[in-house]
């Protein structure tokens, strides 16, 4: 009894399916044609960038004996990456805010994080991505840091730079 019911259901489904126009059925072949995946490619990336800081947006907030600094700005890339990354930097400067306010950037050690959005090209191809730029600033302003790309471009680039000036990047990224 159970087998005859299954045969009847299968016959009905096949009969109904045979009455439709095959162009309306979204089968596996049709889905593959519509969603053509482009292969991700790893690209060696080297170049330079300028750091442009908007000091009119600078805020300093005491954190114990240290100072929390926030400022807007942008990185302008040249080399394998061409374009701009715009966003905000937050840094914990290991000095009182009064000293931070009266001395040039890079006078004191700090740890920083910049949350940016990149628009431009990677190896000549249009690209957009989120960028996290983070690192440490040594007295004198030397930065050892990294740029971490996500959402559109993935990868990690090592950075050697000077605070509020710019520097060089190298590593590899994958463009999706």
């Amino acid at each position: 009894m159970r087998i005859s019911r299954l045969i009847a259901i299968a016959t009905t489904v096949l009969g109904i399916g045979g009455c439709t126009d095959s162009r309306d059925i979204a089968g596996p072949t049709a889905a593959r044609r519509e969603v053509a995946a482009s292969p991700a490619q790893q690209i060696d990336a080297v170049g330079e960038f300028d750091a442009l800081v908007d000091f009119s947006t600078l805020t300093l907030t005491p954190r114990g004996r240290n100072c929390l600094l926030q400022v807007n700005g942008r990185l302008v890339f040249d080399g394998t990456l061409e374009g701009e990354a715009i966003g905000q930097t937050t840094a914990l400067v290991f000095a009182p805010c009064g000293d931070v306010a009266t001395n040039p950037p890079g006078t004191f050690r700090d740890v920083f994080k910049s949350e940016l959005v990149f628009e431009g090209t990677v190896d000549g191809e249009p690209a957009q991505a989120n960028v996290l730029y983070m690192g440490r600033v040594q007295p004198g302003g030397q930065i050892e840091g990294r740029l971490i790309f996500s959402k559109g471009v993935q990868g990690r680039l090592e950075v050697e730079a000077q605070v509020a000036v710019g520097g060089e990047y190298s590593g590899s990224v994958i463009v999706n």
Side-chain angles (χ1 to χ4, degrees):
M1 183 75 153
R2 192 175 212 168
I3 293 174
S4 60
R5 218 182 281 157
L6 290 174
I7 291 172
I9 292 171
T11 304
T12 305
V13 170
L14 289 174
I16 293 171
C19 294
T20 62
D21 184 350
S22 65
R23 291 173 293 190
D24 293 337
I25 298 173
T29 307
R32 272 192 297 251
R33 278 188 296 229
E34 291 174 18
V35 184
S38 61
Q41 50 184 317
Q42 185 169 335
I43 298 167
D44 290 331
V46 294
E48 300 175 341
F49 67 93
D50 293 323
L52 306 172
V53 180
D54 181 357
F55 287 105
S56 71
T57 65
L58 179 69
T59 62
L60 302 173
T61 307
R63 290 288 188 258
R65 288 184 262 157
N66 300 314
C67 185
L68 183 66
L69 175 152
Q70 289 185 302
V71 67
N72 294 337
R74 61 191 169 123
L75 303 178
V76 180
F77 291 92
D78 189 27
T80 307
L81 295 131
E82 297 275 342
E84 292 185 338
I86 299 171
Q88 184 178 63
T89 298
T90 303
L92 182 62
V93 184
F94 300 112
C97 287
D99 293 344
V100 173
T102 58
N103 285 283
T107 300
F108 308 103
R109 284 185 319 112
D110 75 55
V111 292
F112 71 93
K113 171 182 77 170
S114 302
E115 295 178 8
L116 310 156
V117 176
F118 172 80
E119 264 192 62
T121 62
V122 176
D123 203 29
E125 295 297 319
Q128 294 180 335
N130 291 340
V131 182
L132 184 60
Y133 177 28
M134 57 189 170
R136 297 177 186 270
V137 176
Q138 299 301 320
Q142 183 180 357
I143 295 173
E144 289 184 26
R146 68 205 63 70
L147 293 160
I148 307 212
F149 287 78
S150 64
K151 295 196 178 184
V153 176
Q154 269 72 38
R156 175 181 164 152
L157 303 176
E158 298 301 318
V159 171
E160 290 188 21
Q162 190 70 23
V163 70
V165 175
E168 299 176 345
Y169 64 85
S170 64
S172 64
V173 294
I174 296 174
V175 179
N176 297 326

